[in-house]
Amino acid sequence: MTSPPNALCFGDEFPANGAPCLVHVEAHGLTMIVLSDQDAGERRSESVPFSELTVSAGGLDHDQLVATWKGATGERTLYLKNPHVIRAFRQAAPDHLTISLERAAEQVRQVRQRHRIVWSIVGGMLLIVVLGLWFGSDLLVELAVDRIPIEWEQKLGESAYHDFLARQEIMNEGLAVAAVKEMTHRLTAAIPENPYTFEITVVKSDVVNAFALPGGYIVVFTGLMKKAESPEEVSGVLAHELNHVLQRHGLERIVKQLGFTAVVSIVLGNQQGLGGVMKQLGVELMTLKFGRAQETEADLTGLQLLYRAKINPNGMITFFQRLAKKDEGRVEWLSTHPMSSSRADRLEAEIAGMPKQPPEPFTFDWTKVRASLGAHSGGSP
Amino acid sequence: MKSEVLYPGAFPMVRVELAEGEHIKAESGAMVACSPTIDIESKMEGGFLGALSRKFLTGEKFFFQTLRASRGAGEVLLAPTVPGEIVVLELDGVNEYMVQKDGFLAGADGVTINSQMQSMSRGLLGGEGFFILKMSGKGMLLLNSFGAVHKIELKPGQEYIVDNSHLVAWSTTTTYNIEKATSGWVASFTSGEGFVCRFRGPGLVFIQSRNPGGFGAWVRQFIPVAE
């Protein structure tokens, strides 16, 4: 027949964590039966008229109704949480208590509303940050990259460059080296306000590849030169790679890989801590792949560079289209630079839009250059 | 269900005696030994979402284990991971406790475990995270601490200040505010206390005599760092 307790009563003779008790709301006031005394055989019951009660909101979340009064054996504090009891209390309470009850209820409402407001503000801010990162990450990355000095970029590229070259057979002289130097010179001379000192190395290898590292370090494989039918084709690749450097694409990728913290630390000006991380990453630069947007940018700016250097820009397209047809899967450069038809169409459209100008020939004989590399005359194998 | 704390002190263990059909849920991994009549089941308390929220929000384990005396009466030995005391509390249906995220060891089946969101200031500054465990219902509740447990009894209106990293559990009839340990910001942190909780009664506050974060930092200085 014992009902479960619905309130906790605190007072001098009760335990510190409160005595569980059963509270009934009656017309004149409250009746409280202390249940912890059951074992002792006696059940203490106390009735308090409403006139002796003061009420407030209490508890950890301010969601409990606290009623206090002066009992015969000292002060009593009752914590009510059961919604049925609280409702009955509010209905039965006389006018003088209604004001304090409303004040307590208002307090609970205020606390809840404050929680809601604070959490919605925090939620909103989180959403803004997430959306901002989602849509504005490229902008943030650009902002961060702009703040990295060129010397830093050079140091970063340099270590990766020397690491790579230490394991390769380098060509220091010969027709091929002279030809690549001339092409590079023609191209770099056409770059307005060039902050980089480009360093180009020809590596003896049958791999058909060429790549650029941040800071202006460019590697051309002899395999690529053997496959090219004209110097314009090699110039096309060089123009594309030079523009990866000029547009700082490598740095953008690194900063993206480093993530948000790095971006924030660069934007806010702390470049010291970042240096170590970037040096570590420098080793991984070889495997760096550029994004589609970066490839398109390097294509278009590369074309413009070829045009300014008075080199026939068609070589850029024909070379890769030809390679894509014949050597698909074997040409390393194509695995990172797939020549899709849309990419070719875009380049062709761009060339068509440029005013016509007679290209200036190179001073070297391309057939001799290729022959010096051991390529069969008359084109690709 | 009867329980007895064995080897009280730093490395205690609890023996829980279960009558046939009775069961107890414990933190996963808490079972040390048991009678052959006991079946161990893994259970996601509060359903999948409840378990998920507990795992991600409070850092508690995803699964609780249920130890059921399905084939006759038997006993179970339980122990926490960290050295420290075990407290046995009896919930009577009206007494409720908030428990910090590593504090739960085991509870009778009548004990309900919920993760509850704290207010912004308590979540940010209290050191317990935004979500803590709320224990309600009826039955035995076993909590564990890091170090010894000290019980603070607060009368209505009585206040007490506790370093937030030493909290284990507190009654929901108490309230607390987070404050700086000293009046100045700098001194608050140089004193080593940072933020403290000002508790106000009535109710109980259980604190632990050691600070897990502080201990972690102390151990860390002896771990060799690879260059």
Side-chain angles (χ1 to χ4, degrees):
Chain A
M1 76 142 255
T2 22
S3 311
N6 58 11
L8 279 173
C9 186
F10 295 88
D12 283 341
E13 72 269 46
F14 297 131
N17 59 338
C21 54
L22 187 61
V23 170
H24 293 290
V25 180
E26 280 149 15
H28 66 281
L30 295 179
T31 304
M32 176 189 86
I33 303 159
V34 180
L35 298 177
S36 63
D37 292 343
Q38 282 176 66
D39 300 338
E42 54 166 317
R43 296 184 87 195
R44 210 176 334 174
S45 154
E46 238 174 84
S47 287
V48 203
F50 282 123
S51 58
E52 286 180 25
L53 288 175
T54 49
V55 292
S56 61
L60 209 54
D61 295 320
H62 287 279
D63 57 353
Q64 306 190 38
L65 182 65
V66 183
T68 49
W69 71 94
K70 278 247 185 296
T73 49
E75 185 146 316
R76 293 258 191 272
T77 308
L78 196 64
Y79 273 70
L80 293 165
K81 200 170 185 181
N82 188 313
H84 303 295
V85 181
I86 294 177
R87 200 173 308 127
F89 190 98
R90 284 178 74 170
Q91 278 163 2
D95 288 346
H96 86 274
L97 274 185
T98 315
I99 300 165
S100 356
L101 271 173
E102 284 315 316
R103 205 183 302 136
E106 184 56 32
Q107 216 177 335
V108 173
R109 272 194 292 273
Q110 274 178 5
V111 168
R112 284 190 185 152
Q113 184 155 9
R114 203 165 56 222
H115 280 200
R116 264 199 295 274
I117 291 174
V118 170
W119 281 104
S120 5
I121 291 174
V122 170
M125 274 159 60
L126 276 177
L127 195 71
I128 289 171
V129 168
V130 168
L131 287 178
L133 282 179
W134 189 266
F135 292 108
S137 62
D138 285 349
L139 205 72
L140 263 179
V141 166
E142 260 174 53
L143 203 68
V145 165
D146 278 350
R147 288 178 174 240
I148 298 176
I150 300 269
E151 299 84 65
W152 270 60
E153 197 184 336
Q154 279 167 337
K155 267 185 209 153
L156 182 69
E158 194 184 359
S159 60
Y161 182 63
H162 291 306
D163 263 12
F164 175 78
L165 291 183
R167 288 173 276 135
Q168 306 294 331
E169 193 181 338
I170 299 169
M171 282 188 83
N172 288 317
E173 49 190 13
L175 284 179
V177 176
V180 168
K181 277 194 177 150
E182 185 181 331
M183 286 186 256
T184 316
H185 182 74
R186 282 272 296 272
L187 288 169
T188 51
I191 301 168
E193 292 167 35
N194 175 17
Y196 295 94
T197 327
F198 285 100
E199 203 176 314
I200 302 216
T201 306
V202 180
V203 163
K204 211 171 183 177
S205 163
D206 282 339
V207 179
V208 182
N209 199 8
F211 62 83
L213 291 171
Y217 301 93
I218 293 176
V219 175
V220 183
F221 292 70
T222 50
L224 184 115
M225 296 173 77
K226 282 196 226 171
K227 283 267 195 275
E229 282 178 2
S230 71
E232 282 77 17
E233 292 184 345
V234 179
S235 302
V237 174
L238 283 175
H240 177 100
E241 293 300 332
L242 285 177
N243 273 290
H244 274 317
V245 175
L246 291 170
Q247 312 297 333
R248 310 185 91 179
H249 288 161
L251 267 194
E252 283 177 13
R253 297 305 283 183
I254 293 172
V255 169
K256 261 194 183 166
Q257 278 186 7
L258 284 179
F260 182 64
T261 9
V263 172
V264 169
S265 70
I266 299 171
V267 172
L268 297 182
N270 171 22
Q271 298 176 1
Q272 259 65 41
L274 196 70
V277 192
M278 297 225 331
K279 269 188 194 133
Q280 278 183 351
L281 259 181
V283 189
E284 294 165 32
L285 277 178
M286 300 299 165
T287 55
L288 206 63
K289 281 190 182 166
F290 296 110
R292 188 176 291 242
Q294 292 180 325
E295 291 302 343
T296 311
E297 196 182 11
D299 273 353
L300 297 180
T301 49
L303 268 187
Q304 285 153 12
L305 183 58
L306 287 169
Y307 184 80
R308 278 199 304 272
K310 296 188 176 153
I311 299 170
N312 183 1
N314 282 314
M316 194 173 187
I317 307 173
T318 53
F319 188 37
F320 304 124
Q321 276 179 331
R322 190 156 45 78
L323 287 183
K325 265 186 210 146
K326 285 189 179 171
D327 297 278
E328 206 165 5
R330 281 206 293 132
V331 179
E332 201 165 305
W333 205 81
L334 286 173
S335 70
T336 50
H337 299 72
M339 196 65 187
S340 64
S341 59
S342 66
R343 187 175 167 202
D345 290 348
R346 192 160 184 179
L347 286 175
E348 274 164 3
E350 192 73 15
I351 291 173
M354 288 173 169
K356 293 277 170 290
Q357 66 169 9
E360 280 179 20
F362 288 101
T363 58
F364 50 80
D365 182 345
W366 186 245
T367 330
K368 282 184 186 162
V369 172
R370 289 184 68 226
S372 76
L373 294 172
H376 306 288
S377 57
S380 52
Chain B
M1 190 180 302
K2 277 206 298 191
S3 70
E4 181 193 0
V5 177
L6 310 172
Y7 322 112
F11 301 99
M13 191 156 71
V14 196
R15 177 167 55 208
V16 182
E17 285 172 22
L18 298 173
E20 180 165 5
E22 271 187 333
H23 59 284
I24 184 171
K25 56 196 163 208
E27 185 196 17
S28 111
M31 202 274 294
V32 177
C34 65
S35 310
T37 49
I38 308 285
D39 282 336
I40 305 167
E41 303 155 13
S42 185
K43 192 176 163 192
M44 292 179 287
E45 174 76 12
F48 179 74
L49 286 178
L52 202 68
S53 74
R54 208 174 43 247
K55 166 76 195 158
F56 287 106
L57 304 180
T58 67
E60 261 289 339
K61 306 240 167 77
F62 188 76
F63 288 96
F64 284 121
Q65 53 180 211
T66 303
L67 301 151
R68 191 185 299 274
S70 38
R71 283 169 283 113
E75 64 172 34
V76 176
L77 297 178
L78 300 168
T81 314
V82 293
E85 257 186 87
I86 294 172
V87 195
V88 184
L89 295 178
E90 197 63 38
L91 297 189
D92 49 24
V94 279
N95 257 307
E96 293 174 345
Y97 290 95
M98 306 306 290
V99 176
Q100 61 98 347
K101 52 187 184 291
D102 297 320
F104 174 78
L105 178 63
D109 198 53
V111 174
T112 313
I113 305 158
N114 282 314
S115 32
Q116 204 187 22
M117 194 159 81
Q118 301 215 76
S119 75
M120 186 56 65
S121 60
R122 287 177 186 165
L124 276 178
L125 310 174
E128 311 290 339
F130 284 104
F131 296 84
I132 44 173
L133 299 175
K134 182 180 185 176
M135 306 287 166
S136 53
K138 241 181 134 159
M140 185 191 69
L141 173 65
L142 299 173
L143 302 178
N144 70 272
S145 68
F146 185 56
V149 167
H150 178 69
K151 181 164 86 173
I152 300 168
E153 300 186 343
L154 295 177
K155 292 205 169 73
Q158 192 188 346
E159 291 189 347
Y160 215 87
I161 290 168
V162 180
D163 180 323
N164 52 23
S165 41
H166 286 265
L167 281 173
V168 177
W170 54 98
S171 320
T172 56
T173 50
T174 60
T175 57
Y176 72 91
N177 292 319
I178 312 269
E179 355 184 294
K180 304 190 295 284
T182 65
S183 56
W185 280 100
V186 175
S188 266
F189 286 94
T190 49
S191 73
E193 297 302 334
F195 291 102
V196 293
C197 302
R198 180 184 289 267
F199 273 91
R200 197 182 159 89
L204 299 181
V205 179
F206 292 91
I207 59 172
Q208 53 195 4
S209 64
R210 292 292 178 274
N211 165 0
F215 181 71
W218 181 79
V219 168
R220 216 168 295 134
Q221 63 181 327
F222 299 111
I223 299 173
V225 182
E227 255 309 301

